[in-house]
Amino acid sequence: MESSNPATGESLERYDEHTEAEVNEALDAAAEAFPAWAERPIQDRCRVLSRAAELLSERADEYGRLMTREMGKPVAAARAEAEKCAWVCDYYAERAPDHLSDEVIGTEPDARTLVSHEPLGPVLAVMPWNFPFWQAFRFIAPALAAGNVALLKHASNVPGCALAIEEVLRDAGVPEGAFRTLLIGSDRVDGLISDDRVRAVTITGSEGAGRAVGERAGGEVKPSVLELGGSDPFVVLDDAPVEATAGKAADARIKNNGQSCIAAKRFVVHTDVYDSFVDAFRRELEALTVGDPIDEDVDVGPQAREDLMEDLHDQVERSVEAGATLALGGEPLDREGPYYPPTLLTDVPTDAAAATEETFGPVAAVFEVDDGGEALALANDTDFGLGASVWTGDPERGERFAREFEAGCCFVNEPVKSDPRLPFGGVKNSGYGRELSRDGIREFVNRKTIWVQHGFHEEEEKELGAGDPDDDGSVV
């Protein structure tokens, strides 16, 4: 397993994949560590998360540079990612006891009925390369807080990040076996899901990978959470402030070099502001600096791998062949590394690749519509349903519009984002289940119903009679 810098092609380090014996040892260690970790008071588990948050903040520059070297995100964004991981650890350190407290439900006058939330055991996480720390920690923090133990199968191009995550958790006090990184290929995931020691699985990844994991987990009757791809609409209504909205549009499309499931990808614009928006949007994209992401002034780095850039370029070419207009970019840059420039497609046919497929890179597809109804129909005309945003001068109008989106995360006058305080996840082919907030920590617990009947002993005494002592004088 090799780590390389996509910006330069430089080989960073080689890692030996874990053998079957090593994976088996990790599974045994997780199963052995689970009972003691689950039985520790939740306040103790939360103190470990608090320490992890401190370490992540202290090492934000170190880990940020590691992310940049391995997958090419701009270094400022990488440092911010490490800080966001600290935030999610702090969030659950503070809120997990409340999120997992017993839920008392009134039923009968003489009964106490409640739902308790108890951990399941070892949970397998299959994570992608594009947010190599954040997407792991938004699973790890609630899983460990709830008393589960975790196994991470990370993407093969970010092994350094995977081992750094293990390092920071170990240094924070997570006990041996309660968290382990597995350096293995994707072909070994099925066997892990089928293993009796693994009690649940979560994946963030492509639709194809999610279908495979969901199918295997379903066959094993194990709970799963799937956070898959997206083709998020960015709807610009006729009363939106054009210049400000265009600036937000550029940020929403280019975040993480365009390699984000929740990046805005389809820009659906009312005809009254279409021309002015396209002009402003193009100016914003043209102003972005493309270059080596270790440079603090760079806005857009390389794509994470050469094959990913080639796939993206193929989507652009097919869209142009289908009738789209190439208004900006559209050709790989003639330089070392898989650099693709900010690219703008206008007049995009609704059956073109940029309209029907997820474009995982800095490519924006713009569509013109005549009214709000047409905008909503086009926004929802996708197999995906992860995020969506609408932009308007009237927030109340925006909220009414957002309620009609077929997506899991809907925003008004704000780019789609994940936030520890809010549930995160999608519908349709974007997956199922939720991460973050209270909903996320309750995905991998046994929501156990408990009924405690009061007055039973007294009723038994009445029925049997208090005056019928046995031979030693006690009441039978």
Side-chain angles (χ1 to χ4, degrees):
M1 192 174 290
E2 185 174 3
S3 172
S4 61
N5 186 338
T8 63
E10 172 194 5
S11 178
L12 300 173
E13 195 164 346
R14 296 182 65 87
Y15 303 82
D16 292 331
E17 284 198 27
H18 286 138
T19 65
E20 287 300 323
E22 289 170 326
V23 171
N24 191 61
E25 183 275 328
L27 289 167
D28 276 343
E32 292 169 6
F34 169 61
W37 180 247
E39 289 170 7
R40 284 180 67 167
I42 191 170
Q43 291 78 11
D44 285 356
R45 300 197 298 264
C46 289
R47 277 191 284 272
V48 172
L49 284 181
S50 290
R51 179 57 182 154
E54 293 173 356
L55 293 174
L56 284 162
S57 290
E58 291 170 7
R59 302 172 186 177
D61 185 66
E62 173 191 347
Y63 291 151
R65 290 179 176 275
L66 174 60
M67 286 183 254
T68 296
R69 289 195 303 270
E70 284 203 320
M71 58 71 57
K73 71 169 72 242
V75 69
R79 283 196 297 270
E81 181 171 333
E83 292 286 3
K84 190 170 183 178
C85 294
W87 181 20
V88 78
C89 288
D90 272 335
Y91 172 82
Y92 279 109
E94 177 184 350
R95 301 299 298 275
D98 175 61
H99 290 336
L100 296 175
S101 62
D102 289 347
E103 182 181 352
V104 178
I105 302 172
T107 52
E108 301 295 330
D110 55 353
R112 172 175 162 80
T113 49
L114 58 96
V115 176
S116 69
H117 304 91
E118 301 174 7
L120 299 179
V123 183
L124 171 66
V126 181
M127 292 290 121
W129 48 263
N130 56 329
F131 290 91
F133 269 63
W134 168 244
Q135 285 168 318
F137 268 98
R138 73 184 189 194
F139 152 74
I140 291 166
L144 292 179
N148 293 304
V149 297
L151 299 156
L152 172 64
K153 186 278 176 223
H154 218 322
S156 297
N157 60 329
V158 289
C161 291
L163 292 173
I165 291 168
E166 184 175 86
E167 170 191 65
V168 75
L169 291 171
R170 180 179 62 249
D171 292 350
V174 173
E176 181 68 26
F179 177 85
R180 189 74 64 86
T181 281
L182 303 177
L183 297 181
I184 59 174
S186 298
D187 58 334
R188 297 166 70 181
V189 169
D190 271 6
L192 287 174
I193 298 173
S194 300
D195 194 288
D196 288 342
R197 289 165 290 189
V198 171
R199 303 310 309 154
V201 60
T202 181
I203 179 173
T204 297
S206 68
E207 179 187 345
R211 286 182 183 275
V213 166
E215 181 178 356
R216 175 60 65 180
E220 298 294 332
V221 199
K222 294 180 180 179
S224 61
V225 170
L226 310 183
E227 195 273 275
L228 310 180
S231 187
D232 288 9
F234 185 107
V235 176
V236 183
L237 297 181
D238 56 325
D239 61 347
V242 170
E243 293 292 334
T245 301
K248 293 292 187 179
D251 290 342
R253 174 61 279 199
I254 301 303
K255 68 172 68 175
N256 205 48
N257 304 336
Q259 299 166 129
S260 171
C261 296
I262 55 172
K265 301 183 176 82
R266 296 178 300 127
F267 296 81
V268 181
V269 184
H270 193 284
T271 188
D272 288 355
V273 294
Y274 179 84
D275 290 338
S276 58
F277 174 81
V278 169
D279 288 344
F281 193 18
R282 178 164 53 192
R283 289 194 300 271
E284 293 284 348
L285 295 175
E286 286 176 327
L288 296 169
T289 301
V290 180
D292 190 330
I294 206 67
D295 185 337
E296 297 284 351
D297 296 326
V298 162
D299 302 303
V300 184
Q303 301 299 277
R305 299 195 311 263
E306 185 77 26
D307 62 306
L308 297 172
M309 186 193 72
E310 292 171 353
D311 290 344
L312 182 67
H313 185 50
D314 176 66
Q315 290 174 309
V316 171
E317 291 188 313
R318 286 189 285 118
S319 297
V320 172
E321 289 172 3
T325 298
L326 183 61
L328 181 69
E331 288 290 340
L333 297 181
D334 185 16
R335 58 182 298 171
E336 184 72 28
Y339 284 89
Y340 205 81
T343 294
L344 182 61
L345 297 171
T346 60
D347 307 315
V348 181
T350 56
D351 59 351
T356 61
E357 302 172 11
E358 180 178 23
T359 50
F360 215 63
V363 175
V366 186
F367 306 81
E368 184 175 2
V369 293
D370 290 332
D371 55 45
E374 185 181 354
L376 183 62
L378 183 55
N380 289 336
D381 186 19
T382 173
D383 293 333
F384 295 105
L386 186 53
S389 65
V390 59
W391 300 78
T392 172
D394 181 351
E396 292 182 359
R397 180 189 183 193
E399 181 174 342
R400 292 194 300 271
F401 197 99
R403 289 179 180 275
E404 300 299 319
F405 279 135
E406 296 172 359
C409 305
C410 303
F411 287 70
V412 179
N413 296 337
E414 181 75 5
V416 177
K417 58 187 176 182
S418 56
D419 183 310
R421 299 165 295 186
L422 297 171
F424 180 84
V427 296
K428 299 195 283 189
N429 288 354
S430 291
Y432 55 74
R434 291 294 180 266
E435 297 177 296
L436 302 176
S437 192
R438 184 181 71 171
D439 292 28
I441 200 171
R442 291 186 175 188
E443 286 285 1
F444 295 124
V445 297
N446 175 14
R447 285 167 279 191
K448 180 187 289 185
T449 296
I450 297 176
W451 183 300
V452 182
Q453 188 66 42
H454 293 281
F456 174 75
H457 181 67
E458 290 82 355
E459 289 298 324
E460 182 184 49
E461 287 182 347
K462 290 179 183 178
E463 291 177 4
L464 294 176
D468 297 325
D470 60 14
D471 292 341
D472 64 3
S474 64
V475 175
V476 177

